[in-house]
Amino acid sequence: MLLLDEPLAGLDPEGVRWARRLLRALAAQGRTVAITGDRAAEMAETADRIVVLDRGRTVLAQSAAEFTARSAVPRVVVGAARHAELAAVLTDAGATVVRARLSGPGRLAVTGMTAERVGALATAHGIVILELDTRRPTLEEVLGELCAGSRAVSARCRPDGGR
């Protein structure tokens, strides 16, 4: 078993490609290769399985492809002076609404509804929109949702190199 902590840190792009080929070759020889890191996108590009640990407990264990798909769920970020009223309107219409973790007051993060629908509902209720944007969360944001505090990410390569 080979266990490496942040093996790609500080490498240039060619070094990263070389290291990934080496890790896959070792896995193809039947060796267990486990790597740790705190950069989710790097882990998802390198590993076949992602395991997220938070304070000694397993929060998530799935394929890198499944982990990456979590970042494909779009969110609508909407800003409005009457944001509490807008949140109630959107929730009543079936959306999931939370206060956006972005700077500035009055911003909401909405899932389960398109930006067009958010705008239409706001207009129908006479709520002026100050900002309306569709965003996809980064893998680091996905991790942030999974773990409230400190975290470590571990990844394992399979011999077949599949995701």
Side-chain angles (χ1 to χ4, degrees):
M1 177 176 186
L2 179 62
L3 175 62
L4 300 169
D5 183 26
E6 301 274 355
L8 307 178
L11 297 179
D12 63 9
E14 181 55 36
V16 169
R17 286 189 292 275
W18 175 85
R20 285 181 177 150
R21 283 191 305 269
L22 174 64
L23 295 173
R24 292 228 179 261
L26 292 169
Q29 294 171 4
R31 296 186 171 132
T32 299
V33 179
I35 59 176
T36 65
D38 60 1
R39 294 179 43 188
E42 185 176 280
M43 293 292 101
E45 287 295 316
T46 303
D48 300 312
R49 302 255 335 135
I50 303 290
V51 177
V52 178
L53 305 173
D54 183 32
R55 296 181 187 106
R57 67 180 175 88
T58 301
V59 176
L60 173 128
Q62 61 187 189
S63 73
E66 290 170 315
F67 184 77
T68 302
R70 287 176 168 264
S71 69
V73 177
R75 296 180 186 168
V76 175
V77 175
V78 58
R82 294 168 35 205
H83 61 277
E85 183 181 346
L86 179 59
V89 167
L90 297 175
T91 301
D92 289 345
T96 301
V97 181
V98 296
R99 301 253 322 167
R101 289 184 282 173
L102 306 169
S103 61
R107 287 190 178 152
L108 304 171
V110 182
T111 54
M113 189 173 287
T114 65
E116 292 81 9
R117 181 77 175 130
V118 169
L121 284 169
T123 300
H125 287 84
I127 301 171
V128 176
I129 297 291
L130 306 173
E131 174 186 6
L132 186 60
D133 188 22
T134 300
R135 298 183 186 163
R136 300 204 182 281
T138 66
L139 292 173
E140 281 73 19
E141 289 171 333
V142 171
L143 273 178
E145 291 174 3
L146 292 170
C147 305
S150 63
R151 63 184 172 269
V153 179
S154 174
R156 179 176 56 81
C157 296
R158 285 196 325 243
D160 65 359
R163 296 223 186 247

